[in-house]
Amino acid sequence: TAPLPPPSTGSVCRLIQYPLVPCIGRMTLTQEDLDCLDAGEFLNDVIIDFYLKYLLLEGVGGTVAQRSHVFSSFFYKQLSSQRHRPRVKTWTRDVDIFSKDFLFVPVNKAAHWFLVVVCFPRLEDVRTEEFLSGAGEQLARLGLVLSGGGRGTVHQMWTRTSSACSLIYINSPRDNWCLAPCRPCILVMDSLKLSSHDDVCRLIRGYLQVEWEVRRKTRRLFAPASMRSCTCSVPQQDNGSDCGVYLLQFAESFLQNPVVDFDPPLRLEGWFPRQQTRQKRNEIRSLLLRLERAQLKSLELVPVPLSGSRFCSLTQFPGGSGIMELLG
């Protein structure tokens, strides 16, 4: 339900560049991208990539975002193409994905958007890992709620919006630390469930295996038995155009309130109300327009004379850095 639109041949009105300060992976959004936020329109790859990047950089924040990596929407497109598959080796040259707990992969397949989340790719089996509890405050920032009490006692860890439960233990040797079970797995979140996603998970396992050999210089088999996949029961769209909206809401909800019980079936039907997705288009539109105003306000275009009658513009960024562009 989300075909990628053909490139425009007409003039393009640039809206913003995000992030504001020039960096690797900076992206440009245009009026055409803003228009796809209209009701009934399909979200394009630019909006998908922008909002996922925004969530990770500043939209959610906290420990879960710091322990996550978001792939571009073009990543799976190239991964699924035999001709372009070797190119994915360069996608994570600046980040070790096995140092992250969660990898977000937006997928557009057969004109339909859905989200794949790879959990704990560095692990080969279920393992309990330490989290600094800070008297519960740290886990609260992870979107988790502790019940029970007392050092060295068993606690229950519940998500705020579902009845999924796991067990954690306060670690006696260290104050304010707890142990939580972590399972390597691939979670598929699809708001339509049109077909099986086994082929998608197979490609991602194959990519992880190659990336592991490059990063760790050892061989490791990412098999379905050790990195199993699960199609989660998630809120379903009630039209043919909101699959991209739901993908973004799945990612946002996960970052705010992550899954803690990785044993299937994962029932997340009550993760968020449908009204939340109905408001998402307007939320993203308002965000883009707010960023546009902030960008225009923060940028100072200063004409600088060059030799002869030529001029260039000096774009001044907060903090004193800037770039120069030739005019005319």
Side-chain angles (χ1 to χ4, degrees):
T1 61
L4 299 179
S8 173
T9 56
S11 60
V12 176
C13 178
R14 190 174 79 179
L15 191 67
I16 67 166
Q17 288 184 292
Y18 186 81
L20 172 61
V21 178
C23 61
I24 296 176
R26 193 184 193 204
M27 58 190 305
T28 298
L29 289 94
T30 68
Q31 181 64 44
E32 183 179 313
D33 301 318
L34 188 69
D35 291 343
C36 80
L37 290 168
D38 293 343
E41 296 293 328
F42 301 119
L43 298 196
N44 66 8
D45 53 328
V46 177
I47 291 295
I48 295 291
D49 289 340
F50 157 73
Y51 196 66
L52 291 177
K53 184 186 291 286
Y54 169 79
L55 287 176
L56 212 61
L57 293 180
E58 54 185 308
V60 175
T63 308
V64 177
Q66 294 170 10
R67 294 175 11 243
S68 300
H69 175 74
V70 169
F71 284 93
S72 161
S73 59
F74 288 103
F75 170 76
Y76 181 78
K77 182 179 181 180
Q78 293 206 343
L79 184 64
S80 59
S81 169
Q82 188 71 37
R83 185 163 58 94
H84 297 305
R85 194 171 300 172
R87 296 184 185 178
V88 301
K89 295 180 180 179
T90 65
W91 282 72
T92 55
R93 60 173 175 258
D94 298 318
V95 60
D96 180 5
I97 60 173
F98 299 106
S99 69
K100 302 295 185 178
D101 286 347
F102 306 111
L103 311 177
F104 292 81
V105 184
V107 175
N108 187 291
K109 181 185 176 187
H112 173 62
W113 286 113
F114 59 92
L115 179 67
V116 175
V117 183
V118 181
C119 304
F120 311 110
R122 68 183 176 278
L123 301 183
E124 299 187 44
D125 203 350
V126 181
R127 182 186 302 177
T128 55
E129 297 203 348
E130 286 187 319
F131 293 93
L132 177 62
S133 67
E137 294 178 4
Q138 182 79 0
L139 286 175
R141 284 196 290 273
L142 294 182
L144 311 176
V145 179
L146 285 172
S147 64
R151 208 163 137 257
T153 61
V154 178
H155 291 244
Q156 284 186 319
M157 183 164 60
W158 299 83
T159 62
R160 284 195 179 121
T161 57
S162 74
S163 59
C165 173
S166 186
L167 294 177
I168 64 172
Y169 305 84
I170 297 299
N171 191 18
S172 297
R174 306 179 66 184
D175 289 331
N176 296 328
W177 285 77
C178 63
L179 297 175
C182 305
R183 178 188 299 279
C185 59
I186 299 175
L187 305 182
V188 179
M189 302 178 186
D190 188 343
S191 58
L192 276 183
K193 295 182 182 177
L194 292 176
S195 61
S196 169
H197 302 303
D198 291 343
D199 57 336
V200 176
C201 297
R202 175 180 53 79
L203 282 174
I204 290 177
R205 288 192 193 96
Y207 164 75
L208 292 172
Q209 185 165 317
V210 172
E211 186 72 7
W212 180 274
E213 293 176 5
V214 171
R215 288 283 179 178
R216 296 294 191 262
K217 309 301 181 185
T218 61
R219 292 187 60 83
R220 173 185 167 187
L221 181 62
F222 283 80
S226 58
M227 175 67 75
R228 61 185 179 180
S229 60
C230 172
T231 299
C232 306
S233 296
V234 291
Q236 299 290 286
Q237 65 189 86
D238 58 356
N239 57 41
S241 58
D242 275 351
C243 52
V245 176
Y246 274 78
L247 182 158
L248 296 177
Q249 188 59 57
F250 293 151
E252 185 169 357
S253 294
F254 193 102
L255 289 168
Q256 292 174 335
N257 184 21
V259 172
V260 294
D261 183 1
F262 297 94
D263 291 322
L266 269 67
R267 307 195 64 86
L268 304 171
E269 296 96 332
W271 216 5
F272 52 83
R274 178 169 290 170
Q275 185 62 26
Q276 198 164 342
T277 56
R278 290 173 178 165
Q279 298 170 351
K280 185 59 62 182
R281 291 176 182 267
N282 288 334
E283 288 178 8
I284 299 174
R285 183 193 306 277
S286 298
L287 169 64
L288 282 171
L289 295 177
R290 188 175 77 245
L291 290 174
E292 180 192 29
R293 291 192 296 269
Q295 190 165 53
L296 290 174
K297 185 177 180 180
S298 64
L299 296 179
E300 297 176 9
L301 298 181
V302 183
V304 179
L306 300 176
S307 60
S309 60
R310 305 179 73 192
F311 283 80
C312 73
S313 69
L314 172 63
T315 303
Q316 191 74 33
F317 295 101
S321 62
I323 58 174
M324 299 184 73
E325 298 181 58
L326 187 65
L327 300 177

